[in-house]
Amino acid sequence: MDAGSMKCPLQEQFLRRRNSKENLDRFIPNRSAMDFDFAHYMLNEVKKGKENPNSAINSPSREAYRRQLAETFNMNRSRILAFKNKPPTPVELIPQSHSSSTCSLNQPKLAKPRRHIPQTSERTLDAPDLVDDYYLNLLDWGSSNVLAIALGSTVYLWDALHGSTSELVTIDDENGPVTSVSWAPDGRHIAVGLNNSEVQLWDSTANRQLRSLRGGHRSRVGSLAWNNHILTTGGMDGKIINNDVRIRDPVVETYRGHTQEVCGLKWSASGQQLASGGNDNLLHIWDRSMASSNSATKWLHRLEEHTSAVKALAWCPFQGNLLATGGGGGDRCIKFWNTHTGACLNSIDTGSQVCALLWNKNEKELLSSHGFTQNQLTLWKYPSMVKTAELTGHTSRVLFMAQSPDGCTVASAAADETLRFWNVFGAPEVAKTAPKAVREPFAQLNRIR
């Protein structure tokens, strides 16, 4: 095929010779507005004039005929092929309502409204004789919604539902004061650590003592942590002891790693790892799979990055291997750890002594309580660690914090001998009810073999 016979498809549509029998007016919308006789005459006359120049010399009769013909066909019209009426309005291929809804789908979702955080405590209670000691743990909120606080040698129970207060036990001066309290997971039983190295177990419902754990420690027991039926105790002697409270001889494991007082103990949600902090500036991670009843258990990780006592410990509720820790007045830092690898993920200088840490159960937030100079509670957004709020009201360092069972309210006890309640974490989101399962036909009948 030669080059001359090749045609572009677009050009072919416009240059192809048309058959005289083809319907050439199918794109003309209104035929009644067209004067075809006049158009035919004008086209033929123009063609003769261009192709035959000699035909311009016409006889008088021919010129008279042309003028008469022009008057008849109205040759003064300037528009030969013209629309008589206005073109119709174009039809919308996409309805306006549909296009607007489509645009709204493409728009970004509105940002979640920022939660209002009250800047003042919703309730304040007097806490006379609260011991001003950074290394103790004198406040805990149980799963039955009862708050326990040790004031001097007496343990008081405050019922959050009814707002009533009762006295659990008063320790004599020889064995007191109380140095730690911790609720068991059932919310009924509570452990009370004493200055004389003893640990008592109480039934809060019956208001009676069940047993005493003696002989494990040589000095005061300032930290307690439960892991199901295992009660872990930490003493000023640096020892950490796991006690099975169901058996006669309760000591089942001993952890040795601290050279000074153990002031922080927290089990992970899985119950596999224990974090311990001490006045020796050390943080240890212990693994239950490495525990031994015959000899002292070796730690999984020994972390030495803090430069002051490590008391504040908090396991992350949405990431099982993430631990937050806070250092004392000489450190002032909150650090985050991967407890599987022992790596320090982040460190934030808060500017003051970190006394306690609590995670928000409903949002990715962390609450810290502090000492001099502001004695404030600070809410941090995780993982950016941007300050969301600072709550002030205490006039001395905020030593202890406890969280309500629903995760909304935080109680803080300070050296100013007040107990304050803060609605800092907001109301929990209502979980969506699962749809009812559709029963299969004849589900109540046995299968046919």
Side-chain angles (χ1 to χ4, degrees), residues 197-222:
S197 76
E198 181 183 344
V199 178
Q200 296 181 359
L201 298 181
W202 284 78
D203 184 337
S204 64
T205 304
N207 200 30
R208 66 185 181 93
Q209 183 180 346
L210 300 178
R211 67 180 300 180
S212 293
L213 306 179
R214 299 187 180 93
H217 296 281
R218 298 190 304 272
S219 55
R220 72 178 186 180
V221 179

Side-chain angles (χ1 to χ4, degrees), residues 3-240:
S5 61
M6 296 181 62
K7 296 180 180 180
C8 176
L10 293 178
Q11 293 178 348
E12 185 178 3
Q13 293 181 11
F14 292 103
L15 301 180
R16 179 170 55 89
R17 185 184 298 272
R18 297 181 182 273
N19 192 329
S20 58
K21 295 182 179 180
E22 288 181 337
N23 184 11
L24 299 179
D25 61 347
R26 64 177 180 274
F27 293 112
I28 300 175
N30 195 344
R31 294 182 62 182
S32 61
M34 307 305 166
D35 196 339
F36 291 99
D37 294 333
F38 174 68
H40 182 266
Y41 166 77
M42 286 297 296
L43 290 175
N44 290 335
E45 288 299 315
V46 172
K47 184 177 179 181
K48 290 180 181 179
K50 289 181 179 179
E51 295 180 1
N52 304 305
N54 295 329
S55 63
I57 302 174
N58 297 324
S59 62
S61 60
R62 182 179 292 274
E63 183 66 21
Y65 174 74
R66 187 187 65 78
R67 286 195 301 269
Q68 186 179 359
L69 189 64
E71 291 176 1
T72 304
F73 290 113
N74 191 16
M75 289 182 62
N76 293 326
R77 291 191 315 173
S78 59
R79 300 178 65 192
I80 298 177
L81 300 177
F83 286 107
K84 183 177 181 180
N85 302 321
K86 291 184 178 180
T89 305
V91 180
E92 288 185 354
L93 299 179
I94 301 177
Q96 187 67 24
S97 59
H98 178 72
S99 61
S100 60
S101 62
T102 305
C103 295
S104 63
L105 292 176
N106 296 330
Q107 293 178 353
K109 294 183 179 179
L110 295 176
K112 186 178 180 180
R114 186 173 180 179
R115 187 178 79 250
H116 172 66
I117 302 172
Q119 298 298 302
T120 58
S121 57
E122 61 180 11
R123 183 193 295 257
T124 302
L125 302 178
D126 290 326
D129 300 325
L130 181 72
V131 179
D132 183 5
D133 193 328
Y134 177 81
Y135 305 101
L136 305 184
N137 293 273
L138 305 179
L139 184 70
D140 196 23
W141 205 328
S143 60
S144 59
N145 207 15
V146 177
L147 185 77
I149 184 171
L151 302 177
S153 297
T154 304
V155 177
Y156 293 94
L157 304 180
W158 183 77
D159 190 326
L161 182 61
H162 302 98
S164 58
T165 304
S166 61
E167 180 182 322
L168 178 67
V169 58
T170 297
I171 308 299
D172 55 47
D173 294 338
E174 182 181 351
N175 298 318
V178 177
T179 53
S180 56
V181 293
S182 182
W183 284 103
D186 61 7
R188 175 174 178 174
H189 300 93
I190 186 172
V192 179
L194 304 179
N195 191 57
N196 69 344
S197 76
E198 181 183 344
V199 178
Q200 296 181 359
L201 298 181
W202 284 78
D203 184 337
S204 64
T205 304
N207 200 30
R208 66 185 181 93
Q209 183 180 346
L210 300 178
R211 67 180 300 180
S212 293
L213 306 179
R214 299 187 180 93
H217 296 281
R218 298 190 304 272
S219 55
R220 72 178 186 180
V221 179
S223 54
L224 302 168
W226 286 91
N227 185 6
N228 293 324
H229 54 272
I230 299 294
L231 173 62
T232 304
T233 60
M236 185 180 277
D237 55 10
K239 287 197 302 183
I240 300 171

Side-chain angles (χ1 to χ4, degrees), residues 56 67 97 127 145 168 172 176 183 185 194 245 261 264 286 307 316 321 325 331 339 341 348 358 397 404 419 442:
R67 286 195 301 269
S97 59
N145 207 15
L168 178 67
D172 55 47
W183 284 103
L194 304 179
V245 298
E261 182 169 15
W286 311 85
T307 58
C316 179
N321 64 326
T325 62
D331 181 85
T339 59
T341 64
I348 300 295
L358 287 175
R397 58 180 179 174
S404 61
L419 178 64
F442 311 109

